Amino acid sequence: MLRRFLLLTFFSLAPALLAAGVLSAGSKPAQACACCGSYQVFGVASDDVLFVRTGPGPRYPVVTALPNGTQCISVKGRRGSWLKISYAEYTGWAHSRYLRYFDGS
């Protein structure tokens, strides 16, 4: 009885859900963005990289370098215009001018 009610309810609502874009015919279900809610490198020239350093300033040694477009960067802290970040197995500091919040769009 409950199954019949649920099936009838679904099939009576399906056309409206399709029209509203909640359901789509023949497409795969939407997948969550793996890096949404993190940061990405932007504004770095294609032939350049963003240096991640051991401290918040240009005089600290370089830990790693990230090319423009690198995503999935976590921000752990801030000191002035420098952000303490984590990417893959690296943790260090990068200038905030070259990092932006990534929401998947």
Side-chain angles (χ1 to χ4, degrees), residues 1-10:
M1 185 82 140
L2 178 61
R3 182 174 179 220
R4 180 179 162 95
F5 171 76
L6 292 175
L7 286 172
L8 288 173
T9 302
F10 173 76

Side-chain angles (χ1 to χ4, degrees), residues 33-40 69-72 100-105:
C33 172
C35 296
C36 290
S38 64
Y39 286 74
Q40 77 178 88
T70 301
Q71 300 174 349
C72 297
R100 72 173 170 191
Y101 186 76
F102 180 68
D103 63 2
S105 55

Side-chain angles (χ1 to χ4, degrees), residues 12-93:
S12 65
L13 291 176
L17 294 173
L18 281 169
V22 175
L23 291 178
S24 58
S27 66
K28 295 179 180 178
Q31 295 184 2
C33 172
C35 296
C36 290
S38 64
Y39 286 74
Q40 77 178 88
V41 177
F42 87 108
V44 175
S46 61
D47 62 343
D48 205 355
V49 292
L50 173 63
F51 289 126
V52 178
R53 299 178 175 276
T54 59
R59 292 195 174 109
Y60 288 91
V62 174
V63 174
T64 191
L66 304 175
N68 195 55
T70 301
Q71 300 174 349
C72 297
I73 299 169
S74 299
V75 172
K76 305 295 185 185
R78 181 179 198 108
R79 187 174 299 165
S81 58
W82 289 81
L83 298 175
K84 186 172 186 179
I85 65 167
S86 178
Y87 175 75
E89 70 271 13
Y90 301 103
T91 299
W93 295 82

